[in-house]
Amino acid sequence: MVVGEIIEEREVIIIGGGPGGYNAAIRAAQLGKQVTLIEKKGLGGVCLNEGCIPSKFFAEAAKKRMEIDHFKQFGIKIDQVSFDLTVLHKELNETISALQKGIKKLLLDNGVEIVQGTAFFMTENRIGVENGHTFSVYRFQRAVIAAGCKKNRKTKVDHKRIFDFESIYSIQEIPSSLLVAGSSYLALEAASTFQQLGSDVTLIIEGTDLGLDGSIEKELKRLLKKRKIKLITNARIKEIHTAQSAVIYYTKSGEDKSIEVSHLVYGPALIPATAELGVERIGMKLDQNGFINIDQTGKTSVKDIYAIGDITCGIKNASKAIKQGKVAAEMISGIASEYDESNLPSIIHTIPPISSVGLTEEQARQTFERVKSSTFPLSGLGVSAMSSQKEGIIKLVIDADQELIVGVHMIGQGAVELSSAAVLALEMIARTEDLTFMHYPHPSINEGLLEGFEALAGKAIHLAANKQQHNKTESPSQLQQHEQYNL
Ligand SMILES: Cc1cc2nc3c(=O)[nH]c(=O)nc-3n(C[C@H](O)[C@H](O)[C@H](O)COP(=O)(O)OP(=O)(O)OC[C@H]3O[C@@H](n4cnc5c(N)ncnc54)[C@H](O)[C@@H]3O)c2cc1C
Ligand SMILES: NC(=O)c1ccc[n+]([C@@H]2O[C@H](COP(=O)([O-])OP(=O)(O)OC[C@H]3O[C@@H](n4cnc5c(N)ncnc54)[C@H](O)[C@@H]3O)[C@@H](O)[C@H]2O)c1
C-alpha cells in the first residue's frame, strides 16, 4: 500500500454517495462550501443500484403488463404478449448507468470533488481513505456520514433459490412459485410485482397485520386474494432446505408445517455500515443496534460530525435520507435547519399502489378524543371507469374537535402522486373546509380526495347516502360494523 505523506486539508467531507450523501454534497456546495464526497462503490448508493430504482423498474414492468389487459376497451388488440426478462435487465442496467452519470455530472458541475475509496475515521477530524494500493489522509472541518446499511451476512441467501429484497431484482428467471416472507413494504412490493410477472406467490407473515390503516389493510387483503396471492398469517420460518426447489419449514400458531416453492425472498436484518468506519474509535454514540444517534439537525455526539440516512436510527428510506442530507448541509453552512419525520409519506408500489401520510385511524383514536373518518371507493369516480382501474379507496382521518386533517391513506391508481397533496394538507395544518373549498380537476383521481372530505359531512356526491353513515363520529366497534357493511 502506498501511504500518502501529506495530510490533505478539506472543508467538508461526505462519506457515502447514496441519496443522502449526494444531496448533502450538492446542497453544501450550493451554499458555498468546498465539498469532497467519498464513495467506495457506485454513486447513487443502495437506492439507485440495488433498491428503489431496480424494484420500481420491475414494479413498472408489472404495471405495464397489467395495463395490457385493459387495452381492448380502447380498441387496441394485442394478439400475443410475451415477456423477455433479459430485455428488462438490459434496460434497467442502462437506466442505472445513465442516472449514475447524471449524479456524477451534477456533483462535478457543483464543484464537488469525488474520491473513490473506503473512508474511516482516524481521529475526530481526520479521515483515511483506502483505494486498492493507495491510502490518503484528509483533515476536515466538518463531516457528514451517509454510509447506509449492510445486510447481516449470517443470513442464508444463495441468490439461486433464496434471495433478499435487493438481489431478487437481479434474478435471471421469473420464479414459477415464490414465497415472500415479511409484512414490510419491500415484501408487499415483491409479492405484487412477481405475481403480475407470472409467479404463483405466497406471502408469509408473523402476525396477522400488514401495518396499515385498518380500512386500507382490508382492501389490500381483498385485492391480494383477488390476485390469488395466498396469505399465511401467524407463521414463523424455522428452516430452509434447497435442492431442486426450496422447502421452507415454518410454524403456524404453534403447529409445524412446510411449503415447497421454486424460490424464496425475504429481508435479512439490516446492520449499519459503522464497523469499517471506526466511529466507535472516536467515541460516537450509537443505539443498541449500532445505528448512529443524531438530533433533529443530524448532529452526532462528536463535534462537527453529522450523520444522515439509513445509518442513523429510525425509518430507512430515501426520502428521509435526502431531506436529512439537505438539513445537515444547511447546518454546516450556518443556516438553522431541522428534520421532522411526522409527515413523511409511506409509499408502497404494489398494484394498485398505496400511500399513507399522517396517522392511521387506529393511531388517531389513541391521540384524539373525537375522531371522524371517511372511506371513499375510487369506483365512484368517472376517471376510474374510464381507465378500467376501479379498485381501491381513499381513507381520510380527522380530529373531529378541531376539524383538522390528521391522516390521508389511499390504495388505488394515483396514490403515489396524490400523496404530495396529503403532505401539503398536513404540513399546512389544513382543516376539512380548506380541502372542500379548493378546485379539483375533472375528470381525475384528485376528485376522490374532495369526495372523501365531503363524505366526512355526509355530502359526498358520488357515494350512496347509506354508505356515508359510518363517516359520523363513532366508537371503534360501531365503525368496524359499518366498514364491514361498506365492503
Ligand atoms: C429493494 C429496495 C427498495 C427500496 N425502495 C425504496 C423506495 O421506493 N423509496 C425509498 O424512499 N426508499 C426505498 N428503499 C430504501 C433506500 O434504498 C434507502 O433508504 C436509501 O438508499 C438510503 O440512503 P443512504 O444515502 O442513507 O444510504 P445508501 O443508499 O445505502 O448509500 C450509502 C453509500 O455509502 C457508501 N459507503 C458505505 N460505507 C462507506 C465507506 N466506509 N466509505 C465510502 N463509502 C461508503 C456505500 O457504497 C453507498 O453507496 C429501498 C431499499 C431496497 C433495498
Ligand atoms: N417505499 C417507501 O419508501 C416506503 C414504503 C413503506 C414504508 N416505508 C417506511 O419504511 C419504514 C420501514 O418499513 P417496514 O415497516 O415496511 O419494514 P421494516 O423496516 O420493518 O423492514 C422489514 C424487513 O425489510 C428489510 N428492509 C427494510 N428496509 C430495507 C432496506 N432499505 N434495504 C434492505 N432491506 C430492508 C428489513 O431488514 C426487514 O427484514 C416504515 O417505517 C415506513 O415508513 C417506506
Side-chain angles (χ1 to χ4, degrees), residues 76-90:
I76 304 166
K77 198 168 159 235
I78 297 180
D79 287 329
Q80 268 200 324
V81 179
S82 64
F83 172 61
D84 188 343
L85 188 56
T86 51
V87 175
L88 183 70
H89 278 305
K90 184 175 160 286

Side-chain angles (χ1 to χ4, degrees), residues 91-105:
E91 293 291 329
L92 169 60
N93 290 337
E94 282 173 15
T95 304
I96 291 174
S97 122
L99 289 171
Q100 238 179 24
K101 280 191 195 126
I103 295 171
K104 184 172 180 184
K105 186 169 182 320

Side-chain angles (χ1 to χ4, degrees), residues 14-22 38-53 55-56 115 117-120 146-149 165-166 168-169 185-186 189 273 276-277 308-311 315-322 347 349:
I14 295 181
I15 303 174
Y22 87 75
I38 304 164
E39 169 56 56
K40 67 174 181 180
K41 269 165 82 188
L43 287 173
V46 167
C47 183
L48 173 55
N49 299 291
E50 294 140 328
C52 321
I53 299 301
S55 61
K56 263 81 266 182
V115 173
T118 303
F120 59 92
C149 278
F165 290 123
E166 290 169 19
I168 189 70
Y169 297 104
Y185 74 94
L186 298 178
E189 290 182 349
E276 66 184 1
L277 272 176
I308 58 168
D310 279 10
I311 200 164
I315 293 172
K316 315 275 171 253
N317 87 24
S319 330
K320 175 183 170 182
I322 292 166
I347 305 295
H349 290 263

Side-chain angles (χ1 to χ4, degrees), residues 361-383:
E361 176 160 1
E362 296 73 19
Q363 290 166 336
R365 287 190 184 280
Q366 310 279 328
T367 318
F368 302 102
E369 189 86 355
R370 288 187 339 112
V371 170
K372 260 205 238 178
S373 72
S374 71
T375 307
F376 182 77
L378 297 180
S379 56
L381 296 176
V383 71

